[in-house]
Amino acid sequence: MTPPEEPRVRSRGEAELAVRACPGGPLLVRGAARVSVDDDTWHDTTRPVSAVCRCGASALRPWCDGTHKVLSRRGVNPLEAPSA
């Protein structure tokens, strides 16, 4: 499994933006932001803190739906490149 492209996050306006990567999970985005994943479609955050999918398996992309937890229970870490 090839790891997905990292989501792109940028600020909407002058508000302060904080982004933190959860180990094995989503990006947590605090503040007014725009998010894009594997194309040029941008999505505006609507919550004070938004979880952005990094595993590429969420049915709600660009938002995290917790699928990374199921994958990790199956021994799959989609955030790591496969070993050669």
Side-chain angles (χ1 to χ4, degrees), residues 21-48:
C22 293
L27 288 178
L28 293 182
V29 179
R30 183 179 305 273
R34 303 194 85 202
V35 177
S36 182
V37 281
D38 44 10
D39 57 22
D40 286 327
T41 303
W42 289 88
H43 305 270
D44 292 340
T45 58
T46 58
R47 299 176 179 198

Side-chain angles (χ1 to χ4, degrees), residues 22 24-28 47 50-69:
C22 293
L27 288 178
L28 293 182
R47 299 176 179 198
S50 298
V52 179
C53 176
R54 289 193 308 149
C55 76
S58 173
L60 302 174
R61 280 194 87 195
W63 316 119
C64 176
D65 67 0
T67 300
H68 63 278
K69 295 176 192 175

